Amino acid sequence: MQRRAFLKTAAGAGLGAVAASRSAFAADAEIVLTPGTPGPVISPHIYGHFIEHLGGVIYDGIWVGRDSKIPNVGGIRKRFVDDMKRIAAPNLRWPGGCFADGYHWRDGIGPAAERPRTYNFWEPRMPKGVHATETNRFGIHEFMHLCRLVGAEPYVAANVGSSTPKEFHDWVAYCNAPRGTLSLADERAAHGAEEPFAIRYWGVGNESWGCGGDMKAGEYATEYRKFVTQFPMYTQPYLVATGPRGHSADRDLGWTEGFFEGMQGGHRSRVDGFALHYYTDFRQTPEDGAKFDAKGWYAVLHKGVRMQEVIEDHWRVMGQYDPEHHTKLVIDEWGNWYRGGTELGPAYLLSQTITLRDALHAAMTFDIFNRNAEKIEMANVAQTINCLHSLFAAVENQYTRTPAYYTFEMYRAHMGARLIPMEVKVPELTVPILDGSAKLAGISGSASIRDRRLSVTLTNPSLDAAVTAGIRLAGGGRVAEGRGTVLTHEDMTARNTFDDPDNVTLAELSVQIRGDAAHVTIPKQAVVALELQVS
Ligand code: AHR
């Protein structure tokens, strides 16, 4: 890997390159922040979550049952609740994923023992002899209980693929109508929820081009219109349409064009959000979650930052139909997806080992989300526990945070803060990837401001060398004091296990104020988060 001595020009608002000049800081990287011209607010929902009835995500991961010996709050794993509160998890998307378009909400209400056992989309993939039938023990009431415990806003994905507008509208009314108005509202109250759930975010299907009904974009647009036109307006909704498979070779721009083309006759149909899925997809390669070399490390980070182009491309197409961009992006599935083989156990479908590499990938993805804050209403990692890019692993009474969890903790300060322009001057890296070599920014970063406190996140993807960085403010202010945290490990494949849950964890990072600038050393293969006070 070589550092090439030319400027990095980052795409997207808020991160640009400064003119090449003599180093003002005697540092490898020169970073200039402009707090005087703040950009958009970074929606807290960018740091959102996704949980599905899939393998060990809901059952065992989250729902352990009220009678379990595992510490729980009304059946929900307590450690999970505590950690989700710690990162201020802003939302939870549920019940799928592919499961959503086979889910019938009535199966999940009423006394648990009387709930039916039903087919789960993922059942055929479960190992032989393992009973994967859906027990419906976790339904809308349990989901809302979880949301309230965590303080997260619910985002419910409705069934379009095997359901009807009536079933959807009844679910919305059951959730949102005040008691004493509709019979459905009284039924909800009889099941223990007197007050409406007031659910705002509704996904109208999931991956309708695939497991959600195998539709063409125009066909889905027709369904979408039917599903939303008579939407029961008890709570002002935020309606999310199924968007593209952004990780396709062609980025699936045809879906975005076809959908919005199909909506042109639907003038009464609102589309508040458009769900883009982008997996850093290595399923068809030998790339493994646990064992990899430098090529694998860089290949994953390099493919991850394609997120920027995917956002730009779809945003451009959306703008052709909606020049004022009323419709925002909802990136409700993102994360790394390896070929498989590192599952927590045969029944823990799609679970995989999460390492330091995944933590850096998440950081670089969040920097992209922050820098595109004006385009993105929400994003949801796939999936929060016991799945692809998970923050937690849990098997029965064993539990650990993964390295990716710490990225969420480090980025918490950006939630709801204002994006500020960041200029970075740093040599670009030329790195090996699976099939040749590629260019990677020497540093990924983003910055935000709240009151007079700046939050700066920086990632050094290099496996070879630390980077010293000098950070100063444009426009007159100066950094008065600062503190930092760092996430790194000498082993790039480092992970946390049930026996060694603190192998990868946060440490303090020294921030030195010299003159009007803050100076830090970002170790190799590391993410740092800085809090800087402006005077
Ligand atoms: O996150 C796993 C699966 O990936 C989801 O169920 C589906 O929407 C996507 O294809």
Side-chain angles (χ1 to χ4, degrees), residues 50 52 54 93 96-99 121-122 206-207 209 211 247 277 279 283 333 337 350 382-383 387-388:
F50 168 35
E52 177 172 4
L54 154 65
R93 176 179 185 241
C98 290
F99 176 80
F121 171 85
W122 296 101
N206 166 73
E207 297 196 346
W209 36 262
C211 61
H247 46 285
H277 288 184
Y279 282 103
R283 275 174 286 180
E333 293 188 26
W337 197 332
L350 306 194
Q383 301 186 14
C387 198
L388 298 170

Side-chain angles (χ1 to χ4, degrees), residues 108-172:
I109 60 171
E114 292 170 23
R115 295 184 194 175
R117 279 168 290 125
T118 53
Y119 181 74
N120 181 322
F121 171 85
W122 296 101
E123 190 169 327
R125 301 225 204 157
M126 289 295 271
K128 273 202 168 53
V130 174
H131 198 54
T133 303
E134 175 58 47
T135 63
N136 287 299
R137 288 293 193 272
F138 191 90
I140 185 73
H141 288 263
E142 290 75 17
F143 173 63
M144 288 307 301
H145 178 52
L146 168 62
C147 288
R148 285 177 181 148
L149 288 174
V150 168
E153 193 159 348
Y155 170 24
V156 176
N159 178 350
V160 170
S162 66
S163 173
T164 60
K166 177 178 173 5
E167 185 180 347
F168 176 40
H169 300 158
D170 282 354
W171 198 10
V172 174

Side-chain angles (χ1 to χ4, degrees), residues 165-185:
K166 177 178 173 5
E167 185 180 347
F168 176 40
H169 300 158
D170 282 354
W171 198 10
V172 174
Y174 179 89
C175 292
N176 288 354
R179 185 183 184 185
T181 56
L182 308 183
S183 308
L184 282 163

